[in-house]
Amino acid sequence: MQTVKSEVIFPAASDIIGALQNILAHSQLITPDLETPYSQASFPNTNYSDVQLEYRTIGAIIAEREQQLDAALHEISDLETVIDSNQTLRQQLVRKKENIIKSIYLHKGFVSALWRLPTEVLSQIFHHCLPEIREFNRSITPSVSEAPMLLTAVCRRWREVAVAMPSLWCRLAVSVDREGQWKRQIFCYESWLERSRGCPLSLELMSYKCAYDWTKILHFLHPHVNQIASLCIHIPFEEDQVEYILDVLSPTLQELTIFAMETTDTFNQSISRLSNLRSLHTLGPSFDIDLLSCFNPVWAHLTNVTINTDESDTVLFLLRLAPNLFSVHMIVFITNETMDLEPFVHTTLQSLRITCEIDYSSTRRLSKLFDALSFPNLRVFEVSGEPPWPHEKFKAFLTRSKCPLETLILGTDVETRHEQRAEYVALIPSLEVFVLQREF
């Protein structure tokens, strides 16, 4: 015996809506006549107590009203059911609208020039979407509102392209405020580093007074230690933990940035063992000759250095210890009187940046540096701060160095006249002078 399969055909939403509109347009609610001889009676009123109605008794009126009430309640219930059904129908229509819009966007994408961009071009665009690299701040804190994570949420193709680009995932800032936060973030950090796929890493570690044991945290970095080329550490860290971090992450470390108010002997010894290090930026501790000596022999192979110092002879000592320097940024807080410095020529330095203290007496000390130093290969010189500018000393420095200076950058607080800057160009015709303007 064959069973006949019947297909249930549901009416279209437009048919349902049309039918409802037609019913409502041609419907009128009929209100029953509820008037009786008793409707205008005042209670108590004994004049009506024995009145016999011609067609109905009071009991019959009550019974009829109860039937009418039951009918009205059923109608209200049925109407509420219809309203609920209409609300469900509305929700279905809203979802239908949203799906249609998504489909429109999807298919517009297929004809969009952006969708048809070659992967190579899209990759270049993605690189320009990354957060700006700032001095001493190259890493990226993972955020769904910024690239590269934001790029993975746009569409499937963008996600595939972004995830397949190791260069988007080679900068990472790791921060821990509380142990609970670390446990929530560890999966994100691990996924991030897996996408780097062997690309050299720039890593930043931030503690923010957290007492959590970083020797336990850093286990997730062990598979990637040979990728870490740049490391930035924000202290406070426990002394033994700093030593552990540097020892673990040192095999391929080429650049180290340290934010700290002071250093310890153990810390200094850990840095002195970084044989592959080429760039060292220390922001906070003020260097003197003794502290420079503690970092030996690391200075001999450094090419890029940033230090704070309050002694001009420390500058010369650094230059003697580091014959291979290519770029130096000196934050100079010279407060002590010094004797005249012995002349010194550094033959490899090509970029020099000096940030001076705001102190009129520093002009004399800056002049002494210009008197003592010669940089025959200097190409970029930048100075900022607010001492009166030693124009004649600087001119003599350029003449003595005979350097191929290409760029001179004068900060907003360095006061020079147009005629003075013209004299520099007269000495080096190819020189470009830039005077930074203060932003208001």
Side-chain angles (χ1 to χ4, degrees):
M1 181 177 181
Q2 293 182 344
T3 302
V4 178
K5 295 183 179 180
S6 60
E7 295 184 359
V8 179
I9 302 176
F10 294 97
S14 58
D15 294 337
I16 297 174
I17 295 171
L20 289 174
Q21 289 175 334
N22 183 60
I23 293 172
L24 293 173
H26 297 85
S27 298
Q28 183 176 0
L29 184 64
I30 300 175
T31 303
D33 181 12
L34 302 179
E35 291 293 327
T36 68
Y38 291 97
S39 297
Q40 304 300 323
S42 299
F43 293 94
N45 189 343
T46 56
N47 294 331
Y48 289 91
S49 61
D50 296 329
V51 175
Q52 297 295 322
L53 295 177
E54 183 176 354
Y55 300 106
R56 300 183 180 87
T57 62
I58 293 176
I61 293 173
I62 294 172
E64 181 181 12
R65 294 295 180 267
E66 289 177 345
Q67 291 177 355
Q68 291 171 334
L69 177 60
D70 289 340
L73 291 174
H74 279 95
E75 289 171 347
I76 292 172
S77 176
D78 292 342
L79 181 60
E80 289 175 345
T81 300
V82 172
I83 291 173
D84 290 342
S85 299
N86 287 340
Q87 184 64 27
T88 301
L89 178 61
R90 184 185 182 280
Q91 294 173 354
Q92 293 172 348
L93 291 174
V94 170
R95 285 195 295 270
K96 177 181 177 181
K97 179 199 72 172
E98 292 173 349
N99 291 333
I100 291 172
I101 291 174
K102 289 180 181 179
S103 180
I104 290 173
Y105 287 153
L106 173 65
H107 289 84
K108 280 185 175 181
F110 286 111
V111 297
S112 168
L114 186 61
W115 181 264
R116 296 195 303 271
L117 285 176
T119 300
E120 294 77 10
V121 176
L122 198 58
S123 299
Q124 291 295 322
I125 294 174
F126 285 0
H127 273 294
H128 288 288
C129 293
L130 292 175
E132 181 182 358
I133 295 179
R134 298 181 180 179
E135 188 176 21
F136 313 124
N137 184 16
R138 298 184 177 182
S139 301
I140 300 174
T141 301
S143 171
V144 294
S145 61
E146 288 186 333
M149 293 183 68
L150 178 62
L151 300 173
T152 65
V154 174
C155 65
R156 183 171 59 187
R157 184 182 179 231
W158 280 33
R159 176 178 177 81
E160 292 172 351
V161 172
V163 170
M165 291 178 60
S167 56
L168 293 182
W169 310 93
C170 64
R171 297 157 49 194
L172 175 63
V174 178
S175 62
V176 178
D177 291 332
R178 297 181 298 275
E179 180 177 352
Q181 282 193 342
W182 166 252
K183 291 180 178 179
R184 289 194 299 269
Q185 294 170 347
I186 185 170
F187 177 77
C188 173
Y189 293 144
E190 289 179 332
S191 300
W192 187 289
L193 292 177
E194 286 175 3
R195 293 173 182 178
S196 67
R197 299 182 186 177
C199 187
L201 291 174
S202 177
L203 186 68
E204 186 173 6
L205 303 180
M206 295 174 284
S207 177
Y208 297 126
K209 300 182 181 180
C210 176
Y212 192 56
D213 187 356
W214 277 77
T215 61
K216 296 179 180 179
I217 287 178
L218 293 182
H219 69 85
F220 84 101
L221 287 174
H222 289 170
H224 308 279
V225 291
N226 290 325
Q227 296 175 239
I228 300 173
S230 175
L231 176 65
C232 176
I233 301 178
H234 293 254
I235 294 176
F237 281 96
E238 297 295 333
E239 182 174 332
D240 59 336
Q241 294 196 30
V242 174
E243 184 179 11
Y244 170 80
I245 291 171
L246 291 177
D247 288 345
V248 169
L249 305 182
S250 64
T252 56
L253 193 61
Q254 297 181 19
E255 180 179 31
L256 176 62
T257 302
I258 302 163
F259 290 86
M261 294 307 297
E262 59 183 13
T263 62
T264 64
D265 291 340
T266 302
F267 177 80
N268 299 338
Q269 292 171 7
S270 297
I271 294 179
S272 69
R273 295 193 294 267
L274 300 176
S275 58
N276 293 316
L277 201 65
R278 295 296 177 266
S279 297
L280 176 61
H281 310 286
T282 57
L283 304 172
S286 181
F287 277 79
D288 56 18
I289 291 178
D290 291 337
L291 184 54
L292 284 176
S293 301
C294 292
F295 279 55
N296 262 336
V298 75
W299 301 111
H301 43 77
L302 292 182
T303 60
N304 190 358
V305 167
T306 300
I307 67 166
N308 295 1
T309 183
D310 57 9
E311 298 177 3
S312 54
D313 55 353
T314 302
V315 176
L316 265 69
F317 192 67
L318 168 66
L319 294 174
R320 295 180 190 277
L321 290 176
N324 296 308
L325 282 178
F326 179 89
S327 174
V328 173
H329 179 191
M330 294 183 292
I331 304 172
V332 182
F333 296 91
I334 301 174
T335 57
N336 300 322
E337 290 291 343
T338 59
M339 298 182 296
D340 291 339
L341 304 174
E342 294 184 6
F344 181 75
V345 179
H346 197 289
T347 59
T348 62
L349 192 68
Q350 296 190 25
S351 176
L352 175 61
R353 179 181 174 189
I354 298 178
T355 302
C356 298
E357 64 171 322
I358 303 176
D359 183 350
Y360 279 84
S361 64
S362 65
T363 302
R364 181 168 58 257
R365 287 112 192 195
L366 190 58
S367 297
K368 288 184 177 182
L369 288 177
F370 286 152
D371 283 341
L373 298 175
S374 296
F375 300 124
N377 279 303
L378 190 66
R379 285 170 167 77
V380 178
F381 182 82
E382 179 179 354
V383 62
S384 59
E386 203 178 359
W389 180 242
H391 167 66
E392 293 298 333
K393 296 291 186 179
F394 181 67
K395 229 174 52 164
F397 161 76
L398 293 179
T399 303
R400 183 177 62 256
S401 294
K402 297 180 182 179
C403 58
L405 193 63
E406 300 169 355
T407 304
L408 173 61
I409 303 173
L410 303 172
T412 55
D413 295 321
V414 178
E415 296 183 1
T416 59
R417 300 191 305 274
H418 175 75
E419 295 79 7
Q420 293 175 327
R421 298 191 293 271
E423 292 182 39
Y424 306 148
V425 177
L427 289 174
I428 308 174
S430 60
L431 177 63
E432 289 187 283
V433 181
F434 299 92
V435 179
L436 302 182
Q437 300 296 322
R438 186 183 299 277
E439 295 182 359
F440 294 96

